[in-house]
Amino acid sequence: MSLRVVFLGPPGAGKGTQARTLAHDTGAAHVATGDMLRDAIAAGTALGRQAKTYYDRGELVPDELVTGMLGERLQQGDTGKGFILDGFPRTLAQAEALERLLKDLGQDLDRVIFFDVPEAELLRRLAARRQVERRADDTDEAIKNRLRVYAAQTAPLLDYYRNHSLLVTVPGVGTIEAIGEAVRRALGR
Ligand code: AMP
């Protein structure tokens, strides 16, 4: 049985951690556009060079670039058991592009899981992560910007997916195991 889900939530909500576990348990591909962009930037590809200035400031990389990248990714062989989208879509235009992409592939989304985490906790986690990962977009200014960008451009997707009857909210605080359990329940697994 395949699994096609979107993980939605602000930076620091724990999407990546939960996506990795769920991908491991189900065989679905973990598709994280932030990871793909970091790889492209590190490799110095044309896409990476175009994305870098936006990325470093904590702004969104233009829709066309990310959507093109995702379209190719979804056609790779490892998505046979489905996919977990982590960090995509982040704008309404991306959500609409995803709908078109999936229609062309004859696929539907099963669910959109929203990880609900209070802002104070997000700030604490992002500061802690900075010590470990040393990402280019983990400066104070870029972190503030990423949270602002989320509120302005990505949070409207909650209503969009609620209207499509796909949205399930999972409290994103607690132990990693308890949150994982809530995710599996939300997916009926
Ligand atoms: P993340 O690792 O998901 O927090 O993403 C890190 C950065 O990559 C974001 O701040 C954006 O600059 C860029 N990025 C990742 N996914 C997207 C997306 N779907 N649309 C636009 N930019 C993205």
Side-chain angles (χ1 to χ4, degrees):
M1 195 173 109
S2 70
L3 178 73
R4 297 189 190 99
V5 288
V6 168
F7 277 10
L8 196 61
K15 302 185 296 295
T17 303
Q18 293 298 333
R20 271 186 290 278
T21 309
L22 187 64
H24 177 264
D25 293 350
T26 60
H30 175 201
V31 176
T33 45
D35 289 347
M36 294 169 72
L37 289 168
R38 276 183 286 282
D39 288 347
I41 291 169
T45 64
L47 170 68
R49 287 197 303 275
Q50 285 171 287
K52 185 173 167 34
T53 43
Y54 302 97
Y55 179 96
D56 285 349
R57 286 198 294 260
E59 283 168 17
L60 293 186
V61 173
D63 287 332
E64 320 77 80
L65 292 181
V66 185
T67 300
M69 176 180 86
L70 185 89
E72 286 174 21
R73 179 69 186 85
L74 288 186
Q75 294 179 56
Q76 286 171 19
D78 66 338
T79 58
K81 288 188 173 165
F83 51 76
I84 303 157
L85 296 187
D86 164 10
F88 186 100
R90 265 174 150 99
T91 64
L92 274 175
Q94 289 181 17
E96 287 163 2
L98 176 63
E99 220 172 290
R100 285 193 297 274
L101 273 171
L102 291 179
K103 194 160 176 238
D104 288 347
L105 295 170
Q107 299 176 356
D108 281 312
L109 282 180
D110 299 321
R111 287 271 190 292
V112 175
I113 308 254
F114 168 57
F115 292 82
D116 193 12
V117 179
E119 176 154 318
E121 173 66 12
L122 295 175
L123 289 169
R124 198 189 61 73
R125 289 185 191 174
L126 290 168
R129 179 161 89 184
R130 166 155 53 179
Q131 311 294 326
V132 188
E133 293 182 8
R134 310 186 59 204
R135 284 168 45 158
D137 62 343
D138 268 348
T139 61
D140 270 340
E141 204 36 57
I143 286 178
K144 274 195 220 125
N145 209 21
R146 281 157 62 207
L147 290 170
R148 266 199 302 269
V149 164
Y150 171 80
Q153 305 200 55
T154 308
L157 293 182
L158 293 176
D159 271 341
Y160 178 86
Y161 284 123
R162 202 175 279 123
N163 291 337
H164 283 66
S165 306
L166 287 170
L167 191 75
V168 185
T169 297
V170 165
V173 281
T175 63
I176 289 174
E177 291 73 23
I179 299 168
E181 192 50 45
V183 169
R184 278 188 292 278
R185 261 200 312 278
L187 296 172
R189 297 215 164 206

